[in-house]
């Protein structure tokens, strides 16, 4: 009787809690199958065809005003009425439109966008609290990297830190044919040594919104983030592109200090950060503080809109830890993309996002002229924030004609729940439908943890914790013919080409932590997701046009089943995007088609080899005391 009760509880728990369970006739097999030296010029965007400084998207062919109820009719209407959303388009992408499978077909604009980024530590007070911040070009967030779908990007990164290496990851960019540009130290490159420059070259094979960030220990948590916008088609019409809206939590104490004093040796308590920022802004109340660094002041993120127009906002999650719900008081909006994947639009008044996730939305200015709060509501269901009023991370949605000196007095919707996780599974329907074939490779990747004798805390993924060797990155070793990769590299080798690999990522740690899992070089095809254990035939898989994204949440005590097509040779990180968990080793490397890697990396190998030689000459300047990524 007790076994029956337990079984029924496990089966019904996802439904009771509202967690998606994906219905289909297919399940994973129960037995795993293993087929198995330059000066930095002034930052400038040099190009023969520069992007405009003001991003306004007014299309000549608006979508039909008559509502379209059938998805197929909607696809036809969008493709016919508006083949390209993007103010900088030089031609209509009718041959490479919203219906194009961008995994296989990429336009070639013939344009190269060139950027210069300087990694520098500066004194900033983004919320009124002054502290040293690691930045790109001295600002938080860093400068916008912008291009069109099909452009080539050349980005020079100079490390002007005194005692840190660095590396930069272009989050969600799949680096097809350019795996050495992925920016993962110890995996695709050596760190950039202080005083040296590395040039990243890759093609904008996808379009949408994302971020670039440091991928060297805890530097992302210290402020090294910036937005990416790649213009391309969209699944809904809009008038004005308001650009990136970066949402993050923010600490007044260095993440490196928190790591040394708290997170390296003990996983709990989880650090509580002092504030949250929207595009690097959100005033912190210093009224009752005796801390001389608490200067007060600080601005709020604001946008000005015109009644009757539709606005695109590119929501980018960049916190150290935790989940946010984005909301504009009194307004609903359409969600048109998740990560770099355009989706069939759905309407809501809030979206939940965490570190590394993105949602593109279209909101219509259809309310009474006035001022409305924009909210990034911190979800205390899975973590805490020291800004005691969780509704206090705010910006302003201001209508033309409203009092520019008045703050909003609006209230948030009372129906926004305090919950973590992902947007509802069934809402995330990719616009370009792709079905998943049966698995050639399948395996379980358990998430667990252990303590060393000195109480150093480690997460493990597939039985191991990750610790990279900065001086001997995986792709360099493979290029040189050395396949004897170290045990702590936590390598999972996948050899078959153009086959489907399935992985069950399941939380066996049983401490309730949520993990936004990010895959480099690929999108996840999310076959199933839920609370409780994964049970074959009880938790069936959806292989018919499942949600696709590059960052998906593993629920605390739950599971996520993902599929990946082995069509992109390289060494790719699979890791949790929570800063502490990454440093604690919650990551692995998927070495995809190792026999094909040398030919793919050969073109740019000299650049990456030069970076390694510079690092080898100066590597003693910083001692690795975490996973290194």
């Amino acid at each position: 009787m007790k076994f029956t009760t337990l079984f029924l509880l496990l089966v019904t728990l996802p439904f009771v809690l509202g967690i998606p369970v994906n219905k289909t006739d297919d399940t994973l097999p129960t037995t795993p199958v293993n087929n198995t030296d330059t000066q930095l010029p002034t930052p400038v965007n040099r190009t023969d065809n520069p992007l405009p400084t003001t991003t306004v998207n007014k299309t000549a062919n608006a979508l039909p005003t008559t509502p379209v109820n059938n998805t197929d009719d909607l696809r036809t209407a969008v493709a016919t009425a508006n083949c390209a959303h993007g103010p900088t388009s030089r031609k209509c992408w009718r041959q490479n439109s919203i219906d194009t499978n961008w995994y296989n077909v990429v336009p070639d604009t013939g344009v190269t966008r060139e950027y210069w980024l300087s990694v520098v530590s500066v004194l900033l007070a983004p919320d009124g609290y002054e502290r040293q911040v690691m930045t790109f070009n001295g600002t938080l967030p860093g400068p916008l990297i912008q291009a069109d779908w099909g452009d080539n990007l050349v980005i020079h990164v100079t490390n002007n830190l005194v005692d840190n290496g660095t590396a930069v990851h272009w989050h969600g960019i799949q680096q097809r044919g350019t795996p050495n540009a992925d920016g993962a130290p110890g995996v695709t490159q050596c760190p950039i040594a202080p005083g040296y420059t590395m040039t990243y070259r890759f093609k904008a094979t996808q379009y949408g919104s994302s971020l670039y960030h440091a991928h060297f220990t805890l530097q992302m948590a210290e402020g090294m983030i910036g937005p990416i916008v790649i213009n391309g088609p969209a699944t809904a019409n809009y008038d004005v592109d308001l650009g990136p809206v970066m949402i993050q939590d923010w600490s007044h104490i260095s993440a490196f200090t928190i790591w040394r004093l708290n997170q390296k040796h003990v996983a709990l308590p989880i650090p509580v950060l002092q504030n949250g920022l929207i595009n690097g802004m959100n005033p912190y109340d210093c009224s009752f503080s005796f801390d001389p660094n608490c200067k007060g002041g600080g601005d709020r993120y604001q946008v000005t809109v015109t009644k009757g127009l539709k606005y695109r906002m590119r929501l980018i999650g960049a916190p150290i830890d935790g989940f946010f719900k984005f909301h504009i008081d009194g307004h609903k909006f359409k969600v048109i993309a998740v990560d770099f994947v355009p989706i069939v639009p759905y309407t809501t008044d809030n979206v939940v996002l965490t570190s590394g996730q993105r949602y593109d939305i279209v909101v219509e200015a259809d309310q009474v002229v006035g001022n409305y709060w924009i909210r990034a509501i911190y979800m205390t269901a899975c973590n805490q924030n020291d800004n005691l009023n969780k509704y206090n991370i705010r910006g302003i949605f201001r209508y033309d004609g409203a009092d520019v000196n008045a703050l909003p007095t609006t209230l948030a919707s009372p129906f926004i729940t305090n919950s973590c996780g992902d947007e509802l599974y069934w809402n995330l329907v990719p616009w370009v439908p792709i079905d998943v074939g049966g698995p050639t490779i399948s395996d379980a990747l358990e998430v667990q943890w252990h303590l060393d004798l000195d109480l150093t805390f480690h997460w493990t993924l597939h039985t191991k914790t990750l610790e990279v060797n900065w001086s001997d990155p995986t792709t360099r070793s493979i290029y040189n013919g050395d396949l004897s990769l170290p045990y702590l590299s936590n390598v999972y080798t996948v050899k078959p080409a153009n086959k489907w690999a399935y992985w069950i990522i399941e939380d066996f740690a049983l401490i309730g932590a949520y993990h936004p899992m990010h895959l480099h070089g690929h999108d996840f095809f999310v076959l199933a997701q839920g609370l409780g254990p994964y049970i074959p035939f009880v938790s069936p898989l959806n292989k018919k046009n499942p949600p696709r994204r590059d960052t998906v949440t593993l629920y605390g005590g739950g599971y996520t089943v993902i599929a990946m097509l082995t069509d992109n040779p390289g060494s790719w990180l699979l890791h949790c995007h929570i800063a502490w968990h990454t440093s604690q080793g919650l990551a692995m490397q998927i070495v995809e088609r190792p026999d094909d890697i040398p030919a793919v990396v050969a073109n740019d190998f000299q650049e990456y080899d030069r970076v390694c030689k510079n690092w080898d000459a100066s590597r003693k300047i910083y001692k690795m005391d975490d996973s290194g990524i």
Side-chain angles (χ1 to χ4, degrees):
M1 184 66 181
K2 290 182 179 178
F3 174 81
T4 303
T5 303
L6 177 61
F7 178 79
L8 289 174
L9 177 61
L10 292 174
V11 172
T12 59
L13 185 60
F15 296 97
V16 173
L17 296 177
I19 302 299
V21 176
N22 311 309
K23 296 186 177 180
T24 180
D25 295 329
D26 298 301
T27 61
L28 278 177
T30 54
T31 303
V33 181
N34 285 310
N35 302 353
T36 51
D37 307 323
T38 58
Q39 288 291 329
L40 179 74
T42 303
V44 64
N45 178 14
R46 295 176 60 185
T47 174
D48 294 332
N49 190 8
L51 293 166
T53 55
T54 303
T55 307
V56 179
N57 181 18
K58 297 204 173 191
T59 59
N61 298 307
L63 290 179
T65 54
T66 304
V68 181
N69 297 318
N70 181 279
T71 299
D72 292 335
D73 292 341
L74 178 60
R75 294 181 194 279
T76 302
V78 171
T80 301
N82 187 22
C83 65
H85 274 287
T88 64
S89 305
R90 290 161 299 286
K91 62 180 181 179
C92 179
W93 286 311
R94 199 167 292 280
Q95 289 76 30
N96 298 291
S97 70
I98 191 66
D99 294 319
T100 300
N101 181 341
W102 61 97
Y103 298 104
N104 300 328
V105 179
V106 179
D108 187 358
T109 63
V111 173
T112 294
R113 310 279 179 192
E114 193 167 10
Y115 290 88
W116 284 263
L117 297 177
S118 169
V119 178
V120 59
S121 180
V122 296
L123 196 64
L124 293 178
D127 61 350
Y129 188 96
E130 192 172 68
R131 55 157 294 192
Q132 285 293 133
V133 180
M134 290 183 177
T135 69
F136 294 106
N137 293 8
T139 64
L140 178 67
L144 171 66
I145 301 293
Q146 189 172 15
D148 286 345
W149 184 31
D151 285 353
N152 293 300
L153 282 157
V154 177
I155 306 175
H156 311 280
V157 178
T158 299
N159 182 6
N160 286 308
L161 300 174
V162 175
D163 58 359
N164 266 222
T166 197
V168 183
H169 174 56
W170 321 95
H171 188 97
I173 302 290
Q174 294 183 1
Q175 303 295 353
R176 293 178 177 269
T178 53
N180 272 351
D182 190 53
V187 180
T188 64
Q189 69 168 87
C190 295
I192 307 169
Y196 289 93
T197 295
M198 176 173 172
T199 298
Y200 295 85
R201 303 175 190 273
F202 55 91
K203 194 177 188 68
T205 59
Q206 303 139 273
Y207 54 87
S209 312
S210 194
L211 69 157
Y212 60 94
H213 61 82
H215 220 305
F216 183 89
T217 67
L218 289 161
Q219 288 179 348
M220 176 182 171
E222 285 294 274
M224 287 180 61
I225 58 172
I228 297 173
V229 169
I230 301 175
N231 295 304
T235 61
N237 195 22
Y238 56 91
D239 300 298
V240 179
D241 189 334
L242 293 174
V245 183
M246 299 198 77
I247 299 170
Q248 64 183 115
D249 47 15
W250 185 243
S251 175
H252 294 165
I253 303 169
S254 166
F256 291 102
T257 300
I258 295 173
W259 170 255
R260 289 191 297 268
L261 297 180
N262 180 307
Q263 288 303 96
K264 180 178 179 180
H265 294 288
V266 182
L268 296 173
I270 298 170
V272 176
L273 307 189
Q274 285 72 39
N275 203 1
L277 307 177
I278 304 177
N279 276 0
M281 294 174 278
N282 189 55
Y284 182 79
D285 187 0
C286 290
S287 303
F288 303 100
S289 174
F290 296 99
D291 187 335
N293 295 316
C294 208
K295 310 289 186 182
D299 295 323
R300 290 194 186 274
Y301 168 70
Q302 301 185 36
V303 295
T304 301
V305 300
T306 299
K307 186 175 174 65
L309 295 185
K310 296 177 181 179
Y311 294 84
R312 180 174 185 164
M313 303 178 79
R314 302 169 180 270
L315 312 181
I316 301 170
I320 298 173
D321 196 359
F323 290 72
F324 290 88
K325 286 189 178 176
F326 179 88
H327 174 67
I328 303 174
D329 290 358
H331 292 75
K332 291 189 175 183
F333 46 77
K334 289 181 178 179
V335 183
I336 64 170
V338 51
D339 298 349
F340 271 137
V341 179
I343 63 171
V344 177
Y346 68 93
T347 300
T348 183
D349 68 355
N350 73 92
V351 289
V352 59
L353 73 168
T354 185
S355 186
Q357 293 185 331
R358 293 92 66 205
Y359 292 94
D360 285 32
I361 65 171
V362 174
V363 57
E364 183 173 1
D366 58 0
Q367 298 301 303
V368 175
V369 170
N371 298 317
Y372 297 81
W373 286 121
I374 297 171
R375 301 181 189 270
I377 307 171
Y378 197 88
M379 296 291 102
T380 56
C382 53
N383 204 356
Q384 297 296 316
N385 189 281
D386 220 14
N387 195 333
L388 296 179
N389 178 2
K390 68 176 182 177
Y391 292 101
N392 199 36
I393 303 168
R394 294 177 289 182
I396 300 174
F397 195 77
R398 191 188 305 280
Y399 279 71
D400 273 327
D403 186 349
V404 297
N405 297 312
L407 291 176
T409 57
T410 55
L411 300 175
S413 167
F415 301 106
I416 298 177
T417 58
N418 183 10
S419 60
C420 304
D422 287 343
E423 282 292 284
L424 292 175
Y425 182 97
W426 47 79
N427 282 339
L428 308 180
V429 180
W431 183 269
V432 175
I434 300 176
D435 296 342
V436 175
T440 299
I441 304 106
S442 65
D443 209 342
L445 308 178
E446 299 92 351
V447 172
Q448 302 192 51
W449 61 271
H450 70 266
L451 292 173
D452 283 348
L453 292 177
D454 65 352
L455 299 184
T456 298
F457 184 92
H458 299 282
W459 287 101
T460 63
L461 182 60
H462 198 232
T463 74
K464 301 184 190 74
T465 191
L466 177 79
E467 186 177 307
V468 297
N469 182 345
W470 284 334
S471 296
D472 192 16
T474 302
T475 51
R476 188 187 191 204
S477 295
I478 294 172
Y479 180 86
N480 290 326
D482 182 5
L483 298 180
S484 58
L485 300 171
Y487 177 85
L488 287 178
S489 295
N490 200 5
V491 167
Y492 191 114
T493 301
V494 178
K495 291 185 176 181
N498 301 309
K499 302 296 182 181
W500 287 101
Y502 288 14
W503 286 292
I504 309 166
I505 308 175
E506 192 164 1
D507 177 22
F508 281 81
L510 302 179
I511 59 176
Y514 281 59
H515 303 288
M517 302 301 294
H518 173 52
L519 177 62
H520 293 214
H522 287 273
D523 283 334
F524 294 116
F525 288 70
V526 186
L527 305 182
Q529 183 181 37
L531 283 171
Y534 173 76
I535 305 173
F537 305 105
V538 176
S539 306
L541 307 182
N542 171 28
K543 299 198 295 183
K544 187 168 183 61
N545 194 29
R548 302 192 300 271
R549 62 186 315 168
D550 55 58
T551 310
V552 66
T553 297
L554 172 64
Y555 290 80
Y559 64 88
T560 298
V561 183
I562 62 169
M564 183 193 90
L565 186 64
T566 60
D567 61 350
N568 191 16
S571 184
W572 308 114
L573 276 176
L574 169 60
H575 67 98
C576 178
H577 221 265
I578 298 299
W580 318 121
H581 301 174
T582 304
S583 284
Q584 290 161 346
L586 185 44
M588 65 185 291
Q589 297 183 58
I590 298 175
V591 174
E592 180 180 353
R593 297 164 53 180
D595 293 342
D596 297 327
I597 290 176
V600 175
V601 304
N603 287 342
D604 268 347
F605 184 75
Q606 287 186 343
E607 169 70 1
Y608 299 101
D609 198 48
R610 179 187 63 81
V611 171
C612 282
K613 289 175 181 176
N614 291 337
W615 175 253
D616 287 343
S618 59
R619 64 175 183 247
K620 294 181 180 179
I621 52 100
Y622 189 83
K623 182 180 179 182
M624 188 172 77
D625 69 347
D626 67 355
S627 69
I629 61 167

